[in-house]
Amino acid sequence: MNSDDPDGDLVRRVGEGDPQAVEALVARKLPRMTALAQRLLGDRAEAEDVVQELFLRVWKSAAAWRPGAARFDTWMHRVAYNLCTDRLRKRREVALPETWDAPDPQPLVDSEISARQQSDAVGRALADLAPRQREAIVLTYYQELPNREAAALMGIGVDALESLLARGRRALKARLEECHE
Amino acid sequence: MSERMDFARFEALVAAYGATPSRWPEEERAAAQAFARTDPRAEAVLKEADTIDDLLFAHRVAEPSRTLRAMVLESAPRRRRIVGRVRLWWSSIAFGIAAAGGVLAGSAAMAALEPVTANVQLYQHDDLTTFEDTSEENAQ
């Protein structure tokens, strides 16, 4: 058993067909992976499709999973990230409807913003970011991956990751300030 | 052992990772924290980053629905289905022989099915056919 991988033993039991291990793995990973997919794609229905596909691959791979250099969470992130970027690539090839994830031009007054409205505003600003900036922010901030892991997933170096993070954060702030003016 | 950090690196690190030290790269965290404690320019940098951190963390994603959870669980392969198929196979044999050999043979066959993995031999005796559990004879 790989003591460095907190999911290693659970995955081994999933591979052996242990139904309790299956439930435990879903409880542990489903919220995290749903959040990742939704923030990358900006669309709940698509995110749920990705997550279902992701878990199909988990079930196929669990029996053959061997503890090694990569942690299982890292592997899941890689598969989810690739599934999401494939969908994002297909979106760019297809003309999107004008109303797709359109930002709300209605200005918001700080004192009247509810937590839900603020969350929605940030969600829209995230969706408006350049894709690579959004990916960098989602992987490091929301998924809390170490910078080397996030950079490796994106196929870039840490310096490039930090540049995307800094630009993404500035762009997000600027976008939200525009909405408040 | 961490090296001393200069302002340019501190500013770049906070601009990328935000104001929370636990989010800074592990190998630079101690140096960045020391810089933040000792350099008066650090406060303004951290304050700016903090406002962006607050914005980011305001974004919430709804928990997965029960439907999604159920669908994901349903898609998982189940070990018990294999055992069910073995029992079904034995059941088919038993019922087939019961139909050919009469009710008594069928009852004996059903009794011999528990446990599923019991060693059995098929005997042909005049007009009766029966299962006999030979697990004691063949015990290893």
Side-chain angles (χ1 to χ4, degrees), chain A residues 16 23 38-39 44 52 59 119 122-123 141-142 144 147 162 165 169 173, chain B residues 9 15 17-18 23 48-49 53 55-56 58-60 62-63 69 71 75:
Chain A
E16 292 168 357
E23 290 219 18
Q38 183 164 339
R39 286 186 170 118
R44 184 68 174 202
Q52 287 184 70
W59 308 142
S119 175
V122 176
Y141 275 103
Y142 292 109
E144 296 182 335
N147 58 355
E162 291 182 356
L165 285 169
R169 285 166 58 91
K173 186 184 173 206
Chain B
R9 178 55 192 156
Y17 300 108
R23 292 183 173 274
E48 168 71 13
D53 288 344
L55 293 172
L56 285 170
H59 185 239
R60 293 284 175 260
E63 288 291 307
R69 183 180 174 276
M71 287 166 73
S75 70

PDB file of all heavy atoms in Angstrom, chain A residues 16 23 38-39 44 52 59 119 122-123 141-142 144 147 162 165 169 173, chain B residues 9 15 17-18 23 48-49 53 55-56 58-60 62-63 69 71 75:
ATOM      1  N   GLU A  16     -11.569  -4.366  -6.069  1.00  0.00           N
ATOM      2  CA  GLU A  16     -11.978  -5.709  -5.652  1.00  0.00           C
ATOM      3  C   GLU A  16     -13.498  -5.851  -5.616  1.00  0.00           C
ATOM      4  O   GLU A  16     -14.013  -6.907  -5.251  1.00  0.00           O
ATOM      5  CB  GLU A  16     -11.386  -6.020  -4.271  1.00  0.00           C
ATOM      6  CG  GLU A  16      -9.867  -6.174  -4.293  1.00  0.00           C
ATOM      7  CD  GLU A  16      -9.251  -6.197  -2.894  1.00  0.00           C
ATOM      8  OE1 GLU A  16     -10.002  -6.036  -1.898  1.00  0.00           O
ATOM      9  OE2 GLU A  16      -8.028  -6.362  -2.791  1.00  0.00           O
ATOM     10  N   GLU A  23     -19.050   3.385  -2.524  1.00  0.00           N
ATOM     11  CA  GLU A  23     -19.816   4.496  -1.935  1.00  0.00           C
ATOM     12  C   GLU A  23     -18.890   5.525  -1.302  1.00  0.00           C
ATOM     13  O   GLU A  23     -19.099   6.734  -1.431  1.00  0.00           O
ATOM     14  CB  GLU A  23     -20.781   3.964  -0.873  1.00  0.00           C
ATOM     15  CG  GLU A  23     -21.920   3.179  -1.448  1.00  0.00           C
ATOM     16  CD  GLU A  23     -23.239   3.450  -0.723  1.00  0.00           C
ATOM     17  OE1 GLU A  23     -23.362   4.463  -0.022  1.00  0.00           O
ATOM     18  OE2 GLU A  23     -24.135   2.622  -0.896  1.00  0.00           O
ATOM     19  N   GLN A  38     -17.563  21.968 -13.248  1.00  0.00           N
ATOM     20  CA  GLN A  38     -18.473  23.100 -13.410  1.00  0.00           C
ATOM     21  C   GLN A  38     -17.702  24.404 -13.560  1.00  0.00           C
ATOM     22  O   GLN A  38     -18.087  25.258 -14.365  1.00  0.00           O
ATOM     23  CB  GLN A  38     -19.436  23.196 -12.230  1.00  0.00           C
ATOM     24  CG  GLN A  38     -20.424  24.337 -12.442  1.00  0.00           C
ATOM     25  CD  GLN A  38     -21.619  24.286 -11.549  1.00  0.00           C
ATOM     26  OE1 GLN A  38     -21.967  23.230 -11.013  1.00  0.00           O
ATOM     27  NE2 GLN A  38     -22.274  25.419 -11.382  1.00  0.00           N
ATOM     28  N   ARG A  39     -16.633  24.569 -12.799  1.00  0.00           N
ATOM     29  CA  ARG A  39     -15.878  25.822 -12.908  1.00  0.00           C
ATOM     30  C   ARG A  39     -15.114  25.901 -14.225  1.00  0.00           C
ATOM     31  O   ARG A  39     -14.954  26.977 -14.777  1.00  0.00           O
ATOM     32  CB  ARG A  39     -14.926  25.957 -11.715  1.00  0.00           C
ATOM     33  CG  ARG A  39     -15.656  26.318 -10.428  1.00  0.00           C
ATOM     34  CD  ARG A  39     -14.710  26.595  -9.293  1.00  0.00           C
ATOM     35  NE  ARG A  39     -15.433  27.169  -8.169  1.00  0.00           N
ATOM     36  CZ  ARG A  39     -15.522  26.597  -6.966  1.00  0.00           C
ATOM     37  NH1 ARG A  39     -14.929  25.432  -6.738  1.00  0.00           N
ATOM     38  NH2 ARG A  39     -16.183  27.179  -5.989  1.00  0.00           N
ATOM     39  N   ARG A  44     -23.568  23.446 -15.708  1.00  0.00           N
ATOM     40  CA  ARG A  44     -23.806  22.355 -14.772  1.00  0.00           C
ATOM     41  C   ARG A  44     -24.099  21.045 -15.482  1.00  0.00           C
ATOM     42  O   ARG A  44     -23.572  19.987 -15.099  1.00  0.00           O
ATOM     43  CB  ARG A  44     -24.974  22.709 -13.844  1.00  0.00           C
ATOM     44  CG  ARG A  44     -25.243  21.673 -12.770  1.00  0.00           C
ATOM     45  CD  ARG A  44     -24.128  21.625 -11.772  1.00  0.00           C
ATOM     46  NE  ARG A  44     -24.446  20.740 -10.662  1.00  0.00           N
ATOM     47  CZ  ARG A  44     -23.878  20.815  -9.458  1.00  0.00           C
ATOM     48  NH1 ARG A  44     -22.942  21.716  -9.232  1.00  0.00           N
ATOM     49  NH2 ARG A  44     -24.205  19.976  -8.514  1.00  0.00           N
ATOM     50  N   GLN A  52     -19.851  11.880 -14.891  1.00  0.00           N
ATOM     51  CA  GLN A  52     -20.305  10.509 -15.109  1.00  0.00           C
ATOM     52  C   GLN A  52     -19.294   9.733 -15.946  1.00  0.00           C
ATOM     53  O   GLN A  52     -18.963   8.572 -15.648  1.00  0.00           O
ATOM     54  CB  GLN A  52     -21.669  10.507 -15.791  1.00  0.00           C
ATOM     55  CG  GLN A  52     -22.785  10.918 -14.846  1.00  0.00           C
ATOM     56  CD  GLN A  52     -24.145  10.823 -15.507  1.00  0.00           C
ATOM     57  OE1 GLN A  52     -24.641   9.745 -15.786  1.00  0.00           O
ATOM     58  NE2 GLN A  52     -24.747  11.973 -15.763  1.00  0.00           N
ATOM     59  N   TRP A  59     -14.066   3.262 -12.624  1.00  0.00           N
ATOM     60  CA  TRP A  59     -14.462   1.858 -12.402  1.00  0.00           C
ATOM     61  C   TRP A  59     -13.643   0.922 -13.287  1.00  0.00           C
ATOM     62  O   TRP A  59     -13.258  -0.170 -12.875  1.00  0.00           O
ATOM     63  CB  TRP A  59     -15.945   1.641 -12.669  1.00  0.00           C
ATOM     64  CG  TRP A  59     -16.897   2.572 -11.970  1.00  0.00           C
ATOM     65  CD1 TRP A  59     -18.055   3.096 -12.495  1.00  0.00           C
ATOM     66  CD2 TRP A  59     -16.819   3.112 -10.639  1.00  0.00           C
ATOM     67  NE1 TRP A  59     -18.668   3.912 -11.575  1.00  0.00           N
ATOM     68  CE2 TRP A  59     -17.937   3.942 -10.425  1.00  0.00           C
ATOM     69  CE3 TRP A  59     -15.894   2.969  -9.582  1.00  0.00           C
ATOM     70  CZ2 TRP A  59     -18.172   4.613  -9.229  1.00  0.00           C
ATOM     71  CZ3 TRP A  59     -16.125   3.642  -8.397  1.00  0.00           C
ATOM     72  CH2 TRP A  59     -17.245   4.441  -8.225  1.00  0.00           C
ATOM     73  N   SER A 119     -21.914  35.158  -5.734  1.00  0.00           N
ATOM     74  CA  SER A 119     -21.362  33.921  -6.287  1.00  0.00           C
ATOM     75  C   SER A 119     -21.613  33.853  -7.788  1.00  0.00           C
ATOM     76  O   SER A 119     -20.716  33.505  -8.567  1.00  0.00           O
ATOM     77  CB  SER A 119     -21.990  32.719  -5.583  1.00  0.00           C
ATOM     78  OG  SER A 119     -21.550  31.514  -6.169  1.00  0.00           O
ATOM     79  N   VAL A 122     -19.296  36.225  -9.672  1.00  0.00           N
ATOM     80  CA  VAL A 122     -17.932  35.694  -9.783  1.00  0.00           C
ATOM     81  C   VAL A 122     -17.898  34.543 -10.787  1.00  0.00           C
ATOM     82  O   VAL A 122     -16.968  34.426 -11.583  1.00  0.00           O
ATOM     83  CB  VAL A 122     -17.398  35.230  -8.407  1.00  0.00           C
ATOM     84  CG1 VAL A 122     -16.020  34.591  -8.549  1.00  0.00           C
ATOM     85  CG2 VAL A 122     -17.324  36.414  -7.448  1.00  0.00           C
ATOM     86  N   GLY A 123     -18.939  33.736 -10.774  1.00  0.00           N
ATOM     87  CA  GLY A 123     -19.020  32.636 -11.729  1.00  0.00           C
ATOM     88  C   GLY A 123     -18.998  33.126 -13.161  1.00  0.00           C
ATOM     89  O   GLY A 123     -18.325  32.561 -14.021  1.00  0.00           O
ATOM     90  N   TYR A 141      -6.520  27.461  -7.031  1.00  0.00           N
ATOM     91  CA  TYR A 141      -7.350  27.992  -5.953  1.00  0.00           C
ATOM     92  C   TYR A 141      -8.417  27.014  -5.485  1.00  0.00           C
ATOM     93  O   TYR A 141      -8.503  26.671  -4.326  1.00  0.00           O
ATOM     94  CB  TYR A 141      -8.049  29.281  -6.391  1.00  0.00           C
ATOM     95  CG  TYR A 141      -7.180  30.473  -6.188  1.00  0.00           C
ATOM     96  CD1 TYR A 141      -6.545  31.054  -7.260  1.00  0.00           C
ATOM     97  CD2 TYR A 141      -6.945  30.967  -4.918  1.00  0.00           C
ATOM     98  CE1 TYR A 141      -5.695  32.117  -7.067  1.00  0.00           C
ATOM     99  CE2 TYR A 141      -6.097  32.032  -4.720  1.00  0.00           C
ATOM    100  CZ  TYR A 141      -5.465  32.606  -5.801  1.00  0.00           C
ATOM    101  OH  TYR A 141      -4.610  33.654  -5.614  1.00  0.00           O
ATOM    102  N   TYR A 142      -9.240  26.619  -6.427  1.00  0.00           N
ATOM    103  CA  TYR A 142     -10.418  25.863  -6.014  1.00  0.00           C
ATOM    104  C   TYR A 142     -10.087  24.396  -5.755  1.00  0.00           C
ATOM    105  O   TYR A 142     -10.582  23.807  -4.802  1.00  0.00           O
ATOM    106  CB  TYR A 142     -11.517  26.000  -7.063  1.00  0.00           C
ATOM    107  CG  TYR A 142     -12.071  27.404  -7.137  1.00  0.00           C
ATOM    108  CD1 TYR A 142     -11.809  28.226  -8.229  1.00  0.00           C
ATOM    109  CD2 TYR A 142     -12.844  27.921  -6.092  1.00  0.00           C
ATOM    110  CE1 TYR A 142     -12.318  29.517  -8.275  1.00  0.00           C
ATOM    111  CE2 TYR A 142     -13.347  29.211  -6.140  1.00  0.00           C
ATOM    112  CZ  TYR A 142     -13.086  30.005  -7.241  1.00  0.00           C
ATOM    113  OH  TYR A 142     -13.579  31.280  -7.283  1.00  0.00           O
ATOM    114  N   GLU A 144      -7.009  23.365  -5.190  1.00  0.00           N
ATOM    115  CA  GLU A 144      -5.876  23.403  -4.251  1.00  0.00           C
ATOM    116  C   GLU A 144      -4.784  22.394  -4.627  1.00  0.00           C
ATOM    117  O   GLU A 144      -4.165  21.781  -3.745  1.00  0.00           O
ATOM    118  CB  GLU A 144      -6.379  23.163  -2.815  1.00  0.00           C
ATOM    119  CG  GLU A 144      -7.319  24.278  -2.351  1.00  0.00           C
ATOM    120  CD  GLU A 144      -7.794  24.110  -0.923  1.00  0.00           C
ATOM    121  OE1 GLU A 144      -7.815  22.972  -0.426  1.00  0.00           O
ATOM    122  OE2 GLU A 144      -8.143  25.122  -0.303  1.00  0.00           O
ATOM    123  N   ASN A 147       1.374  23.769  -6.988  1.00  0.00           N
ATOM    124  CA  ASN A 147       1.647  24.460  -8.252  1.00  0.00           C
ATOM    125  C   ASN A 147       2.286  23.545  -9.285  1.00  0.00           C
ATOM    126  O   ASN A 147       1.956  23.624 -10.478  1.00  0.00           O
ATOM    127  CB  ASN A 147       2.493  25.726  -8.014  1.00  0.00           C
ATOM    128  CG  ASN A 147       3.827  25.458  -7.332  1.00  0.00           C
ATOM    129  OD1 ASN A 147       4.121  24.338  -6.936  1.00  0.00           O
ATOM    130  ND2 ASN A 147       4.613  26.512  -7.165  1.00  0.00           N
ATOM    131  N   GLU A 162       2.272  30.732 -12.922  1.00  0.00           N
ATOM    132  CA  GLU A 162       2.175  31.921 -12.077  1.00  0.00           C
ATOM    133  C   GLU A 162       1.786  33.160 -12.900  1.00  0.00           C
ATOM    134  O   GLU A 162       1.013  34.000 -12.429  1.00  0.00           O
ATOM    135  CB  GLU A 162       3.499  32.159 -11.340  1.00  0.00           C
ATOM    136  CG  GLU A 162       3.765  31.094 -10.275  1.00  0.00           C
ATOM    137  CD  GLU A 162       5.034  31.321  -9.482  1.00  0.00           C
ATOM    138  OE1 GLU A 162       5.785  32.273  -9.780  1.00  0.00           O
ATOM    139  OE2 GLU A 162       5.290  30.544  -8.540  1.00  0.00           O
ATOM    140  N   LEU A 165      -1.902  32.855 -13.486  1.00  0.00           N
ATOM    141  CA  LEU A 165      -2.640  33.125 -12.249  1.00  0.00           C
ATOM    142  C   LEU A 165      -2.725  34.627 -11.994  1.00  0.00           C
ATOM    143  O   LEU A 165      -3.793  35.155 -11.678  1.00  0.00           O
ATOM    144  CB  LEU A 165      -1.950  32.434 -11.064  1.00  0.00           C
ATOM    145  CG  LEU A 165      -2.134  30.926 -10.949  1.00  0.00           C
ATOM    146  CD1 LEU A 165      -1.189  30.348  -9.899  1.00  0.00           C
ATOM    147  CD2 LEU A 165      -3.574  30.578 -10.609  1.00  0.00           C
ATOM    148  N   ARG A 169      -6.204  36.660 -12.135  1.00  0.00           N
ATOM    149  CA  ARG A 169      -6.736  37.330 -10.944  1.00  0.00           C
ATOM    150  C   ARG A 169      -7.009  38.803 -11.225  1.00  0.00           C
ATOM    151  O   ARG A 169      -8.039  39.355 -10.832  1.00  0.00           O
ATOM    152  CB  ARG A 169      -5.759  37.190  -9.774  1.00  0.00           C
ATOM    153  CG  ARG A 169      -5.741  35.804  -9.145  1.00  0.00           C
ATOM    154  CD  ARG A 169      -4.531  35.633  -8.229  1.00  0.00           C
ATOM    155  NE  ARG A 169      -4.512  36.628  -7.168  1.00  0.00           N
ATOM    156  CZ  ARG A 169      -5.071  36.474  -5.973  1.00  0.00           C
ATOM    157  NH1 ARG A 169      -5.728  35.372  -5.683  1.00  0.00           N
ATOM    158  NH2 ARG A 169      -4.982  37.432  -5.057  1.00  0.00           N
ATOM    159  N   LYS A 173     -10.772  40.637 -11.257  1.00  0.00           N
ATOM    160  CA  LYS A 173     -11.084  41.827 -10.447  1.00  0.00           C
ATOM    161  C   LYS A 173     -11.589  42.954 -11.348  1.00  0.00           C
ATOM    162  O   LYS A 173     -12.591  43.599 -11.030  1.00  0.00           O
ATOM    163  CB  LYS A 173      -9.836  42.269  -9.681  1.00  0.00           C
ATOM    164  CG  LYS A 173     -10.111  43.396  -8.707  1.00  0.00           C
ATOM    165  CD  LYS A 173      -8.831  43.859  -8.042  1.00  0.00           C
ATOM    166  CE  LYS A 173      -9.144  45.106  -7.210  1.00  0.00           C
ATOM    167  NZ  LYS A 173      -7.973  45.961  -7.025  1.00  0.00           N
TER     168      LYS A 173
ATOM    169  N   ARG B   9      10.060  39.230  -5.897  1.00  0.00           N
ATOM    170  CA  ARG B   9       9.556  37.845  -5.835  1.00  0.00           C
ATOM    171  C   ARG B   9       8.333  37.774  -4.926  1.00  0.00           C
ATOM    172  O   ARG B   9       7.364  37.092  -5.226  1.00  0.00           O
ATOM    173  CB  ARG B   9      10.664  36.896  -5.352  1.00  0.00           C
ATOM    174  CG  ARG B   9      10.191  35.432  -5.210  1.00  0.00           C
ATOM    175  CD  ARG B   9       9.586  34.900  -6.496  1.00  0.00           C
ATOM    176  NE  ARG B   9       8.889  33.626  -6.284  1.00  0.00           N
ATOM    177  CZ  ARG B   9       7.908  33.175  -7.072  1.00  0.00           C
ATOM    178  NH1 ARG B   9       7.491  33.888  -8.121  1.00  0.00           N
ATOM    179  NH2 ARG B   9       7.344  32.012  -6.829  1.00  0.00           N
ATOM    180  N   ALA B  15       0.811  37.941  -6.053  1.00  0.00           N
ATOM    181  CA  ALA B  15      -0.045  38.225  -7.206  1.00  0.00           C
ATOM    182  C   ALA B  15      -0.579  36.929  -7.815  1.00  0.00           C
ATOM    183  O   ALA B  15      -1.695  36.877  -8.344  1.00  0.00           O
ATOM    184  CB  ALA B  15       0.732  39.006  -8.262  1.00  0.00           C
ATOM    185  N   TYR B  17      -0.613  33.664  -6.142  1.00  0.00           N
ATOM    186  CA  TYR B  17      -1.244  32.705  -5.221  1.00  0.00           C
ATOM    187  C   TYR B  17      -2.170  33.344  -4.188  1.00  0.00           C
ATOM    188  O   TYR B  17      -2.873  32.626  -3.472  1.00  0.00           O
ATOM    189  CB  TYR B  17      -0.158  31.898  -4.493  1.00  0.00           C
ATOM    190  CG  TYR B  17       0.731  31.112  -5.437  1.00  0.00           C
ATOM    191  CD1 TYR B  17       2.051  31.510  -5.668  1.00  0.00           C
ATOM    192  CD2 TYR B  17       0.252  29.992  -6.111  1.00  0.00           C
ATOM    193  CE1 TYR B  17       2.864  30.810  -6.548  1.00  0.00           C
ATOM    194  CE2 TYR B  17       1.066  29.281  -6.993  1.00  0.00           C
ATOM    195  CZ  TYR B  17       2.375  29.701  -7.194  1.00  0.00           C
ATOM    196  OH  TYR B  17       3.177  29.001  -8.066  1.00  0.00           O
ATOM    197  N   GLY B  18      -2.140  34.649  -4.063  1.00  0.00           N
ATOM    198  CA  GLY B  18      -3.029  35.311  -3.121  1.00  0.00           C
ATOM    199  C   GLY B  18      -2.363  35.602  -1.793  1.00  0.00           C
ATOM    200  O   GLY B  18      -1.157  35.414  -1.611  1.00  0.00           O
ATOM    201  N   ARG B  23      -1.385  28.869   0.953  1.00  0.00           N
ATOM    202  CA  ARG B  23      -1.497  28.652  -0.500  1.00  0.00           C
ATOM    203  C   ARG B  23      -0.204  28.956  -1.237  1.00  0.00           C
ATOM    204  O   ARG B  23      -0.118  28.757  -2.443  1.00  0.00           O
ATOM    205  CB  ARG B  23      -2.614  29.532  -1.057  1.00  0.00           C
ATOM    206  CG  ARG B  23      -3.984  29.104  -0.583  1.00  0.00           C
ATOM    207  CD  ARG B  23      -5.081  29.946  -1.198  1.00  0.00           C
ATOM    208  NE  ARG B  23      -6.383  29.398  -0.854  1.00  0.00           N
ATOM    209  CZ  ARG B  23      -6.995  28.429  -1.534  1.00  0.00           C
ATOM    210  NH1 ARG B  23      -6.421  27.929  -2.593  1.00  0.00           N
ATOM    211  NH2 ARG B  23      -8.166  27.970  -1.148  1.00  0.00           N
ATOM    212  N   GLU B  48      -4.194  44.087  -1.277  1.00  0.00           N
ATOM    213  CA  GLU B  48      -4.711  44.019  -2.645  1.00  0.00           C
ATOM    214  C   GLU B  48      -5.085  42.585  -3.003  1.00  0.00           C
ATOM    215  O   GLU B  48      -6.160  42.322  -3.553  1.00  0.00           O
ATOM    216  CB  GLU B  48      -3.644  44.563  -3.610  1.00  0.00           C
ATOM    217  CG  GLU B  48      -3.907  44.307  -5.077  1.00  0.00           C
ATOM    218  CD  GLU B  48      -5.059  45.122  -5.636  1.00  0.00           C
ATOM    219  OE1 GLU B  48      -5.516  46.073  -4.961  1.00  0.00           O
ATOM    220  OE2 GLU B  48      -5.527  44.794  -6.750  1.00  0.00           O
ATOM    221  N   ALA B  49      -4.214  41.672  -2.665  1.00  0.00           N
ATOM    222  CA  ALA B  49      -4.472  40.265  -2.986  1.00  0.00           C
ATOM    223  C   ALA B  49      -5.662  39.730  -2.204  1.00  0.00           C
ATOM    224  O   ALA B  49      -6.417  38.879  -2.695  1.00  0.00           O
ATOM    225  CB  ALA B  49      -3.230  39.426  -2.696  1.00  0.00           C
ATOM    226  N   ASP B  53      -8.867  37.484  -3.302  1.00  0.00           N
ATOM    227  CA  ASP B  53      -9.160  36.198  -2.648  1.00  0.00           C
ATOM    228  C   ASP B  53     -10.629  36.148  -2.195  1.00  0.00           C
ATOM    229  O   ASP B  53     -11.308  35.135  -2.351  1.00  0.00           O
ATOM    230  CB  ASP B  53      -8.275  36.005  -1.416  1.00  0.00           C
ATOM    231  CG  ASP B  53      -6.826  35.723  -1.772  1.00  0.00           C
ATOM    232  OD1 ASP B  53      -6.560  35.372  -2.935  1.00  0.00           O
ATOM    233  OD2 ASP B  53      -5.962  35.865  -0.887  1.00  0.00           O
ATOM    234  N   LEU B  55     -13.150  37.681  -3.434  1.00  0.00           N
ATOM    235  CA  LEU B  55     -14.010  37.507  -4.609  1.00  0.00           C
ATOM    236  C   LEU B  55     -14.032  36.049  -5.057  1.00  0.00           C
ATOM    237  O   LEU B  55     -15.084  35.467  -5.297  1.00  0.00           O
ATOM    238  CB  LEU B  55     -13.512  38.388  -5.764  1.00  0.00           C
ATOM    239  CG  LEU B  55     -13.639  39.897  -5.575  1.00  0.00           C
ATOM    240  CD1 LEU B  55     -12.931  40.626  -6.708  1.00  0.00           C
ATOM    241  CD2 LEU B  55     -15.094  40.325  -5.498  1.00  0.00           C
ATOM    242  N   LEU B  56     -12.851  35.474  -5.169  1.00  0.00           N
ATOM    243  CA  LEU B  56     -12.767  34.085  -5.627  1.00  0.00           C
ATOM    244  C   LEU B  56     -13.542  33.154  -4.703  1.00  0.00           C
ATOM    245  O   LEU B  56     -14.262  32.259  -5.157  1.00  0.00           O
ATOM    246  CB  LEU B  56     -11.304  33.636  -5.705  1.00  0.00           C
ATOM    247  CG  LEU B  56     -10.495  34.177  -6.877  1.00  0.00           C
ATOM    248  CD1 LEU B  56      -9.012  33.854  -6.697  1.00  0.00           C
ATOM    249  CD2 LEU B  56     -10.988  33.591  -8.182  1.00  0.00           C
ATOM    250  N   ALA B  58     -15.992  33.741  -2.868  1.00  0.00           N
ATOM    251  CA  ALA B  58     -17.443  33.960  -2.846  1.00  0.00           C
ATOM    252  C   ALA B  58     -18.153  33.016  -3.803  1.00  0.00           C
ATOM    253  O   ALA B  58     -19.365  32.828  -3.704  1.00  0.00           O
ATOM    254  CB  ALA B  58     -17.750  35.407  -3.219  1.00  0.00           C
ATOM    255  N   HIS B  59     -17.405  32.440  -4.740  1.00  0.00           N
ATOM    256  CA  HIS B  59     -18.039  31.574  -5.734  1.00  0.00           C
ATOM    257  C   HIS B  59     -18.289  30.190  -5.151  1.00  0.00           C
ATOM    258  O   HIS B  59     -17.363  29.530  -4.693  1.00  0.00           O
ATOM    259  CB  HIS B  59     -17.160  31.457  -6.983  1.00  0.00           C
ATOM    260  CG  HIS B  59     -17.829  30.673  -8.076  1.00  0.00           C
ATOM    261  ND1 HIS B  59     -17.307  29.524  -8.611  1.00  0.00           N
ATOM    262  CD2 HIS B  59     -19.002  30.883  -8.721  1.00  0.00           C
ATOM    263  CE1 HIS B  59     -18.129  29.078  -9.546  1.00  0.00           C
ATOM    264  NE2 HIS B  59     -19.158  29.882  -9.628  1.00  0.00           N
ATOM    265  N   ARG B  60     -19.537  29.786  -5.160  1.00  0.00           N
ATOM    266  CA  ARG B  60     -19.915  28.483  -4.612  1.00  0.00           C
ATOM    267  C   ARG B  60     -20.512  27.614  -5.706  1.00  0.00           C
ATOM    268  O   ARG B  60     -21.221  28.102  -6.569  1.00  0.00           O
ATOM    269  CB  ARG B  60     -20.966  28.657  -3.502  1.00  0.00           C
ATOM    270  CG  ARG B  60     -20.441  29.367  -2.265  1.00  0.00           C
ATOM    271  CD  ARG B  60     -19.568  28.437  -1.430  1.00  0.00           C
ATOM    272  NE  ARG B  60     -18.981  29.156  -0.303  1.00  0.00           N
ATOM    273  CZ  ARG B  60     -17.729  29.603  -0.302  1.00  0.00           C
ATOM    274  NH1 ARG B  60     -16.955  29.424  -1.348  1.00  0.00           N
ATOM    275  NH2 ARG B  60     -17.249  30.231   0.747  1.00  0.00           N
ATOM    276  N   ALA B  62     -22.926  24.273  -6.303  1.00  0.00           N
ATOM    277  CA  ALA B  62     -23.910  23.448  -5.594  1.00  0.00           C
ATOM    278  C   ALA B  62     -23.381  22.026  -5.425  1.00  0.00           C
ATOM    279  O   ALA B  62     -22.643  21.520  -6.276  1.00  0.00           O
ATOM    280  CB  ALA B  62     -25.221  23.428  -6.376  1.00  0.00           C
ATOM    281  N   GLU B  63     -23.751  21.407  -4.341  1.00  0.00           N
ATOM    282  CA  GLU B  63     -23.387  20.000  -4.100  1.00  0.00           C
ATOM    283  C   GLU B  63     -23.989  19.120  -5.202  1.00  0.00           C
ATOM    284  O   GLU B  63     -25.039  19.473  -5.763  1.00  0.00           O
ATOM    285  CB  GLU B  63     -23.936  19.544  -2.752  1.00  0.00           C
ATOM    286  CG  GLU B  63     -23.208  20.138  -1.545  1.00  0.00           C
ATOM    287  CD  GLU B  63     -21.795  19.588  -1.434  1.00  0.00           C
ATOM    288  OE1 GLU B  63     -21.622  18.367  -1.420  1.00  0.00           O
ATOM    289  OE2 GLU B  63     -20.866  20.416  -1.375  1.00  0.00           O
ATOM    290  N   ARG B  69     -25.549  11.452  -7.985  1.00  0.00           N
ATOM    291  CA  ARG B  69     -24.884  10.486  -7.115  1.00  0.00           C
ATOM    292  C   ARG B  69     -25.396   9.075  -7.391  1.00  0.00           C
ATOM    293  O   ARG B  69     -24.619   8.117  -7.506  1.00  0.00           O
ATOM    294  CB  ARG B  69     -25.107  10.865  -5.654  1.00  0.00           C
ATOM    295  CG  ARG B  69     -24.399   9.957  -4.670  1.00  0.00           C
ATOM    296  CD  ARG B  69     -24.646  10.372  -3.224  1.00  0.00           C
ATOM    297  NE  ARG B  69     -24.067   9.416  -2.306  1.00  0.00           N
ATOM    298  CZ  ARG B  69     -24.667   8.288  -1.926  1.00  0.00           C
ATOM    299  NH1 ARG B  69     -25.855   7.987  -2.376  1.00  0.00           N
ATOM    300  NH2 ARG B  69     -24.061   7.467  -1.101  1.00  0.00           N
ATOM    301  N   MET B  71     -26.752   7.938 -10.121  1.00  0.00           N
ATOM    302  CA  MET B  71     -26.330   7.472 -11.446  1.00  0.00           C
ATOM    303  C   MET B  71     -24.866   7.022 -11.418  1.00  0.00           C
ATOM    304  O   MET B  71     -24.501   6.023 -12.044  1.00  0.00           O
ATOM    305  CB  MET B  71     -26.528   8.586 -12.479  1.00  0.00           C
ATOM    306  CG  MET B  71     -28.000   8.807 -12.822  1.00  0.00           C
ATOM    307  SD  MET B  71     -28.314  10.343 -13.707  1.00  0.00           S
ATOM    308  CE  MET B  71     -27.653   9.977 -15.307  1.00  0.00           C
ATOM    309  N   SER B  75     -23.490   3.091 -11.960  1.00  0.00           N
ATOM    310  CA  SER B  75     -22.562   2.742 -13.041  1.00  0.00           C
ATOM    311  C   SER B  75     -21.397   1.887 -12.570  1.00  0.00           C
ATOM    312  O   SER B  75     -20.657   1.334 -13.379  1.00  0.00           O
ATOM    313  CB  SER B  75     -22.011   4.016 -13.700  1.00  0.00           C
ATOM    314  OG  SER B  75     -21.128   4.709 -12.810  1.00  0.00           O
TER     315      SER B  75
END
